[in-house]
């Protein structure tokens, strides 16, 4: 009798072990699924926070050319404040047509360094300085900037050799003072170059006239959009005000070569406030 009960007892024990193993596997699967869900939620919230910060507060940009020398150099990594001029559809990644005009709009000041969408395609990011406000008349005469018929004050600071796409050539670094008292350095290779003498540009309401600080090496509002230039910039296209150079490296640094990051760093430009 006892011998007959032993196999039955063993069978019962085996039957009890089988569901326990299934339950452990189920619990493990549920735990893995729950962990995956938590990871997805964490990534989603991180991306959401990043998008909100980018849309409402700050956006980084890398300077791709020499058009803003001697204040911004190719390879400077800058931070732009998005709230400075309010918000338009271009404040949102990919510029979706969710609304027209600006929300909480503030007018830029003459002399601000501004990132904007190129009017020709409304996609490409450009960076220039605001020179002409709505209602202004802007003109270059013999390499001298004129606003509303009056020459803008500038004073030569130094001359230096500058290496660019045209080789090494002497450049004049001057300090320009706009009518509102804003001062900054400009770089020029003139006089007598293509953009040193221009017609009068009248800036209509709702538009801005932009110029690069590298006056003879900047395709800006002096060049019509139909000729491949910037032309006049609608206020809707303003993205934000450039505030600070976060860090900088010389051309030649490669994202895929970390050694080049350190070899090409320009520490003297780190955390430089823009004027």
């Amino acid at each position: 009798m006892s011998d007959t009960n032993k196999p039955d007892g063993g069978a019962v024990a085996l039957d009890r072990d089988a569901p326990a193993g299934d339950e452990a596997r189920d619990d493990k699967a549920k735990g893995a699924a729950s962990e995956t869900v938590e990871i997805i939620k964490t990534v989603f919230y991180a991306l959401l926070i990043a998008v909100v910060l980018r849309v409402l507060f700050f956006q980084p940009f890398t300077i791709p050319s020499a058009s803003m020398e001697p204040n911004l150099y190719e390879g400077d990594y800058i931070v732009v404040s998005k709230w400075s001029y309010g918000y338009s559809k271009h404040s949102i990644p990919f510029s979706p047509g969710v609304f027209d005009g600006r929300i909480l709009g503030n007018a830029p000041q003459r002399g601000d360094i501004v990132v904007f969408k190129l009017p020709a395609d409304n996609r490409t990011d450009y960076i220039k300085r605001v020179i002409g406000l709505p209602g202004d008349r802007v003109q270059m005469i013999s390499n001298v900037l004129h606003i509303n018929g009056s020459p803008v004050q500038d004073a030569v600071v130094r001359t230096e050799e500058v290496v660019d796409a045209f080789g090494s050539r002497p450049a004049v670094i001057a300090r320009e003072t706009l009518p509102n008292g804003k001062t900054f350095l400009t770089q020029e290779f003139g006089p007598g170059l293509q953009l040193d003498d221009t017609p009068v540009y009248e800036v209509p309401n709702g538009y801005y006239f932009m110029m690069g600080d590298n006056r003879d090496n900047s395709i800006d509002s002096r060049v019509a959009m139909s000729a491949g230039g910037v032309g006049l910039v609608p206020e809707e296209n303003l993205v934000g005000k450039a505030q600070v150079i976060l860090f900088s490296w010389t051309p030649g640094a490669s994202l895929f070569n970390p050694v080049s990051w350190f070899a090409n760093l320009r520490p003297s430009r780190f955390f430089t406030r823009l004027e």
Side-chain angles (χ1 to χ4, degrees):
M1 193 74 177
S2 60
D3 291 338
T4 305
N5 289 336
K6 283 182 181 179
D8 292 338
V12 171
L14 288 173
D15 288 340
R16 287 175 180 172
D17 285 345
D22 290 342
E23 289 176 4
R25 284 191 293 271
D26 288 345
D27 290 343
K28 187 176 180 180
K30 290 177 181 178
S34 177
E35 185 176 351
T36 300
V37 170
E38 288 302 316
I39 291 174
I40 293 172
K41 286 168 62 177
T42 300
V43 171
F44 172 78
Y45 289 133
L47 290 174
L48 182 62
I49 291 170
V51 169
V52 170
L53 290 175
R54 186 181 184 279
V55 170
L56 297 180
F57 298 105
F58 299 103
Q59 185 171 346
F61 290 90
T62 300
I63 302 302
S65 72
S67 71
M68 287 297 291
E69 290 184 5
N71 299 299
L72 287 170
Y73 285 83
E74 182 179 354
D76 284 347
Y77 189 85
I78 67 169
V79 175
V80 168
S81 61
K82 302 293 287 290
W83 70 85
S84 295
Y85 309 129
Y87 307 95
S88 74
K89 64 183 180 183
H90 297 301
S91 303
I92 306 171
F94 310 111
S95 302
V98 291
F99 62 92
D100 295 323
R102 302 196 75 83
I103 298 174
L104 303 175
N106 293 305
Q109 300 297 306
R110 197 192 310 275
D112 286 358
I113 299 176
V114 174
V115 170
F116 59 91
K117 295 294 184 182
L118 183 67
D121 62 15
N122 288 322
R123 293 191 307 272
T124 306
D125 292 315
Y126 263 53
I127 184 166
K128 303 292 179 188
R129 192 180 295 273
V130 175
I131 296 297
L133 303 177
D136 281 346
R137 291 174 291 110
V138 180
Q139 185 179 21
M140 293 292 292
I141 302 175
S142 298
N143 205 34
V144 176
L145 173 64
H146 287 64
I147 298 177
N148 296 326
S150 299
V152 168
Q153 177 186 348
D154 65 353
V156 174
V157 174
R158 64 182 183 273
T159 59
E160 59 184 42
E161 287 291 318
V162 173
V163 179
D164 59 13
F166 300 97
S168 179
R169 50 183 177 153
V172 174
I173 309 299
R175 179 162 290 279
E176 195 165 87
T177 303
L178 297 177
N180 63 346
K182 179 76 171 182
T183 69
F184 52 93
L185 296 178
T186 62
Q187 179 174 290
E188 56 190 44
F189 301 98
L193 297 179
Q194 183 178 6
L195 297 176
D196 289 340
D197 289 278
T198 70
V200 176
Y201 303 95
E202 295 186 358
V203 186
N205 187 41
Y207 286 80
Y208 294 90
F209 190 94
M210 308 290 190
M211 290 178 66
D213 294 342
N214 193 349
R215 290 294 165 77
D216 295 315
N217 190 14
S218 175
I219 303 301
D220 48 40
S221 291
R222 291 172 292 176
V223 181
M225 188 168 55
S226 60
V230 170
L232 296 171
V233 177
E235 63 181 3
E236 183 180 61
N237 285 44
L238 305 181
V239 174
K241 181 180 179 181
Q243 299 281 9
V244 66
I245 301 171
L246 196 60
F247 54 87
S248 178
W249 57 81
T250 58
S254 171
L255 179 64
F256 303 103
N257 182 11
V259 174
S260 69
W261 303 349
F262 300 98
N264 293 275
L265 285 177
R266 292 186 285 214
S268 63
R269 298 187 63 75
F270 286 19
F271 306 111
T272 300
R273 185 173 178 82
L274 295 170
E275 61 176 2

